[in-house]
Amino acid sequence: GLNKKETAAKYGDEQVKRWRRSYDVPPPPVEKDSPYYPGNNPQYYHIREEELPLSECLKDTLERTLPYWESDIVPALTKGKTVLVAAHGNSIRGILKHLDAIPDEAVTELEIPTGVPLVYQLDASLKPIAAEGAVAPLSGVFLGNADEIAAARKAVADQTKAAEAAEAEVQFACMGSGCLLLSSGDMRRAFDAVAGDAADISTGELKTILERLSEGEEALRDAEVNEIFEMVDRNGDGRIDFEEVVQAITAESLPR
């Protein structure tokens, strides 16, 4: 249930990078009573329990992706069609590992920027043809400004750098009669001071966090805090976690 930065803060940047970027090292399995277990989500009720993953590494993702590559994408390519693949970054990394025969240890450093087109030309045997401007280990080329693409790839790599990212990411929040610039670090500290070892908080504790962050500004009324809480309490259990608290604090529709 932790996001990337929270996981890095708990386990360390290197361990999270190993889980996220290694080929065959999965993170710890999710408990079946967790709200994050796929079997507890109605969206996956049609899938057999034994097919639902408790954890997954890139090797697992590739094993799920390749059958679709072979059954749907390869036939289209052999007919001379141009195929657009829009998928999660790990699915893309798995396909690229397969296409470019990227070694297990090298794929850990492969960064795929979100939303940037990556073009591959394949020969008659569906082997990649190295494109002008391609950067190893890839044979394909990203479309767009080279500096912007490099910055986007670095941003993906930096997602697990917990301390620097937490302090650098500044967000605009309006509470009561005033507005503040808050870093994720500010909000994390306020949350931890109130929640202690707990992973989530109540409505009253949210009000305490807002009061801590408001720095003397006029506090929100109880009804306003309740409205904010209900807006982000996704499962309606009367508790919200840190990610939801950040959403509550920075939501544009906060009452004033």
Side-chain angles (χ1 to χ4, degrees):
L2 302 177
N3 64 29
K4 296 170 187 174
K5 293 174 186 175
E6 291 169 330
T7 306
K10 183 174 181 179
Y11 295 103
D13 293 341
E14 288 305 313
Q15 179 62 70
V16 174
K17 182 178 180 180
R18 185 166 180 250
W19 283 333
R20 291 188 65 230
R21 293 305 191 209
S22 65
Y23 179 61
D24 56 3
V25 180
V30 67
E31 299 291 338
K32 288 191 175 182
D33 60 356
S34 167
Y36 301 100
Y37 169 56
N40 295 325
N41 187 331
Q43 182 177 354
Y44 303 111
Y45 283 174
H46 65 289
I47 299 176
R48 291 182 299 176
E49 182 177 353
E50 60 268 24
E51 295 180 353
L52 293 172
L54 299 177
S55 182
E56 191 170 72
C57 59
L58 182 58
K59 181 175 182 288
D60 301 319
T61 305
L62 180 57
E63 289 174 353
R64 288 193 296 103
T65 305
L66 276 185
Y68 182 78
W69 168 267
E70 298 292 346
S71 66
D72 290 68
I73 298 178
V74 167
L77 292 171
T78 56
K79 293 178 182 178
K81 294 183 178 181
T82 298
V83 178
L84 173 65
V85 178
H88 186 277
N90 271 348
S91 301
I92 297 295
R93 288 170 67 230
I95 292 174
L96 296 178
K97 184 184 191 308
H98 171 70
L99 281 176
D100 279 317
I102 301 173
D104 295 356
E105 62 276 11
V107 77
T108 64
E109 302 299 326
L110 180 58
E111 307 294 353
I112 306 297
T114 303
V116 179
L118 174 59
V119 178
Y120 265 71
Q121 297 286 340
L122 307 179
D123 63 19
S125 300
L126 300 186
K127 299 298 183 183
I129 301 170
E132 182 179 352
V135 177
L138 302 181
S139 299
V141 62
F142 290 102
L143 299 184
N145 178 276
D147 291 337
E148 292 177 356
I149 292 169
R153 297 179 78 171
K154 182 178 184 299
V156 173
D158 288 346
Q159 285 177 341
T160 56
K161 295 182 178 178
E164 299 92 332
E167 294 301 330
E169 183 179 340
V170 177
Q171 303 192 49
F172 192 66
C174 291
M175 294 178 285
S177 61
C179 294
L180 302 171
L181 285 174
L182 299 172
S183 73
S184 294
D186 294 331
M187 291 182 275
R188 179 82 253 185
R189 285 186 288 273
F191 180 88
D192 289 344
V194 174
D197 294 331
D200 48 32
I201 61 168
S202 65
T203 307
E205 290 169 322
L206 174 61
K207 184 176 182 181
T208 302
I209 290 174
L210 295 176
E211 289 171 347
R212 281 176 173 268
L213 293 171
S214 63
E215 298 182 348
E217 297 291 345
E218 181 183 344
L220 294 173
R221 297 187 297 271
D222 288 348
E224 294 173 327
V225 176
N226 290 339
E227 181 180 345
I228 296 169
F229 192 96
E230 292 173 0
M231 179 176 65
V232 298
D233 183 13
R234 292 177 290 218
N235 59 7
D237 66 350
R239 308 286 295 182
I240 59 175
D241 59 22
F242 176 69
E243 185 176 348
E244 291 167 321
V245 168
V246 173
Q247 181 184 355
I249 292 172
T250 59
E252 295 179 359
S253 58
L254 284 181
R256 295 179 176 83

